[in-house]
Structures are given as C-alpha cells and as structure tokens.
Amino acid sequence: MSAPDGSPVGAERTIGQLFASATAEMSALVHDEIALAKAQLKQDVKRGATSGGAFSMAGAVLLFSLPMLNFALAYGIRTWSDWNLAICFLLSFAANVLVAVVLALIGVVFAKKAKKSKGPQKVAASMKESAGVLQKAKPHPRPELAQDRVPEAIEAVARSSS
C-alpha cells in the first residue's frame, strides 16, 4: 500500500510532502465538487426540458386534435345515442380539454421538481465551507528547540517544508 503521493504507508514523510499531498487532495476535492454541480445542473435542465415538452405537447394535442377528434367523437356519440348533435360536440370538446389538462398537470409536476432541486446551491455552500476552513487553518505551534541541535539541520528542514 502507498499514500496518495506514492510514498509507502508508515514511512516518515516530510512536511513538504504532507503539504503537497494535502494540496493535491484539496484540488481533487474541488474538481469533484465542480463535477457534482455540473451533474446536478444537467439533471435540473433535463427536468425543465421535460416540463417544457409536456406543456408543448398539451398545447399541440389541444390544437391539432380539436377539429378532427371533435367531429369524429361528436358523430360517434350521435350514432350511439340519439342526443342532439350540439351536445355531442360539447362532449367531444370536453374530452379533448381533459387530455390537455392531464398533460399540463404532468408538466406542473416536473416543473416543481426542477424548481425544488437545490443541488447546485448545496455544492456551492460546501465549496465555500471548504475554502473557509482552508483560510482559517493555522500551523501548529512548534516546540522550543533544544540547545544541542545543529542550526544547519533545523534550517534545512525549515526550507524543505516551505
């Protein structure tokens, strides 16, 4: 097994390696959150397109079916019953309006789902929170140095960690 930066697990890593690893992981996290926001936005756009399509179909059904279906239905009702022809035409129109209302309700349901979706807002809040944590991060205080340590070695470690 190895750590994300490729060094073996359990091996001592320098502060520079730890910082590089943390930076790489943070960058990957930001990229993943952006990908998540894009995926959620794509889903919302699909819901909105479905809603628009359902509304368009409701209008098309109502518009194109009225003349032909009204005549066919009215004459069919007239054939099965001996009602007045005007009442038969009103019943056929009511049937077409009912179909259009059902399609419009489907459009409303999908529009509400698209409007309720808070996916991109959640991702943006998470990204702001991550950025806030990084800005507030402070290094741990270093203990006082012992007198018997060589200053050159301490200086070399300080250079490697920055």
Side-chain angles (χ1 to χ4, degrees), residues 10-134:
E12 293 294 323
R13 298 190 314 181
T14 65
I15 293 175
Q17 289 172 332
L18 291 172
F19 184 75
S21 175
T23 303
E25 289 175 17
M26 203 55 200
S27 175
L29 175 65
V30 169
H31 286 291
D32 289 344
E33 286 184 353
I34 290 171
L36 175 63
K38 286 180 182 179
Q40 289 175 339
L41 189 60
K42 186 183 287 186
Q43 183 181 19
D44 290 345
V45 167
K46 282 183 183 178
R47 285 182 181 154
T50 303
S51 172
F55 281 125
S56 298
M57 288 301 296
V61 165
L62 188 60
L63 181 68
F64 293 121
S65 71
L66 286 179
M68 186 63 103
L69 290 177
N70 281 340
F71 280 103
L73 189 57
Y75 283 111
I77 293 172
R78 170 82 171 159
T79 302
W80 294 323
S81 68
D82 286 330
W83 292 348
N84 187 352
L85 193 57
I87 293 174
C88 295
F89 273 101
L90 285 174
L91 287 174
S92 67
F93 175 74
N96 287 322
V97 169
L98 182 66
V99 168
V101 166
V102 167
L103 288 172
L105 288 175
I106 291 170
V108 167
V109 167
F110 278 100
K112 284 184 178 180
K113 282 185 180 180
K115 191 175 183 180
K116 282 184 181 178
S117 177
K118 301 289 184 193
Q121 289 86 354
K122 287 180 184 177
V123 172
S126 173
M127 290 176 69
K128 286 180 184 178
E129 183 181 335
S130 298
V133 168
L134 286 178

